[in-house]
Structures are given as C-alpha cells and as structure tokens.
Amino acid sequence: MRHAFAFAIVFAALTATGTTAQAQKVYKCGNTYSQTPCGDGKTLDTSTPDASTDIARKQTVDKENKRQLAAAKALEKERLATEAEVRKRHALEAKVLEQEKARTAKGAGKDNTKKKEGPQFFTAKPVPPAKP
C-alpha cells in the first residue's frame, strides 16, 4: 500500500515537470491571425508579452481608475449636499421646538380657561307639548 502511494507521488511529480507550456507559432496575415502559415504572413513571437499590449492595458486601467475616481467624487459631493440639507432641516426643527417651548412656558403662569356663568350641572326639564 505504501509503495503504491509513493509510486503515485513520484509519477505525478515526473509528469508535472514534463508538461511545460509550449508557445505555438502565430502568423499575421493582413488583418487576421492564424496558426497556419499564409503567403505573405509574418510570424509573431508569442513567448514574451508585447510591450504595446502592456501599455494599452495600463492606459485602459488608468482610464477606468479616473472614471471611478470621478464617480466617487460626484457621489461624495451629493452625500455632502444631502447631509447639509438634513442639518439645515434639523436646525429649523430645533428652532421651532424652542419657540414652542418658550411660548408654552410664557403662558404657563396664566389661567387660559374661561369661566362659564350659569349652573355647573345640566338639568333636564320636560318640554311642554306643542300647540296645534
């Protein structure tokens, strides 16, 4: 059992080292690319990355980063404006509450109820019949 396991490990290690990626030849034929040669096609080296591809990729990434930064700044500006509006509204509500408290406190010493004249209790009296 141990020998089979050791054999499997050695076999996997040997096959893994023997399988390296080989670059295939690529031919540029006018505006198309192919793996088969064409009449006036040029062979392209695909083993090393193309510097112009790296530059184009970097430019694309930089452009996207600038777009995201602009979007983030716009969202921050919107958030700050909303927060300022909420602060104004809260300040106005606090001012109204303070005025209401002051008005209530000013009127607290006065007796605002009017005294009614007449009997304090209601007494029902019979109504005489209507004359025809």
Side-chain angles (χ1 to χ4, degrees):
M1 181 74 117
R2 289 184 132 175
H3 295 292
F5 183 67
F7 177 74
I9 291 176
V10 171
F11 181 73
L14 288 176
T15 54
T17 57
T19 57
T20 57
Q22 298 292 325
Q24 296 179 351
K25 288 187 177 182
V26 176
Y27 300 93
K28 182 176 181 185
C29 304
N31 291 335
T32 61
Y33 297 91
S34 173
Q35 294 177 347
T36 58
C38 55
D40 60 342
K42 297 180 183 177
T43 305
L44 300 176
D45 182 21
T46 58
S47 61
T48 58
D50 189 10
S52 63
T53 305
D54 290 342
I55 292 171
R57 188 177 304 127
K58 183 183 181 318
Q59 288 174 345
T60 304
V61 169
D62 288 345
K63 188 176 182 181
E64 178 63 18
N65 287 344
K66 286 180 183 177
R67 186 194 67 77
Q68 288 183 2
L69 182 63
K73 285 183 179 181
L75 287 172
E76 181 183 23
K77 186 177 180 180
E78 181 181 339
R79 177 184 58 84
L80 292 173
T82 302
E83 288 175 356
E85 182 181 324
V86 168
R87 279 194 300 274
K88 276 184 189 177
R89 193 175 331 126
H90 283 279
L92 181 61
E93 289 173 358
K95 185 177 179 181
V96 168
L97 284 175
E98 286 297 320
Q99 290 173 351
E100 187 67 28
K101 281 182 183 179
R103 191 175 10 189
T104 312
K106 193 185 274 186
K110 296 179 182 178
D111 185 17
N112 291 336
T113 59
K114 291 185 178 180
K115 294 184 180 181
K116 294 182 181 178
E117 295 186 22
Q120 293 182 351
F121 300 103
F122 174 76
T123 308
K125 295 181 182 176
V127 178
K131 296 181 182 176

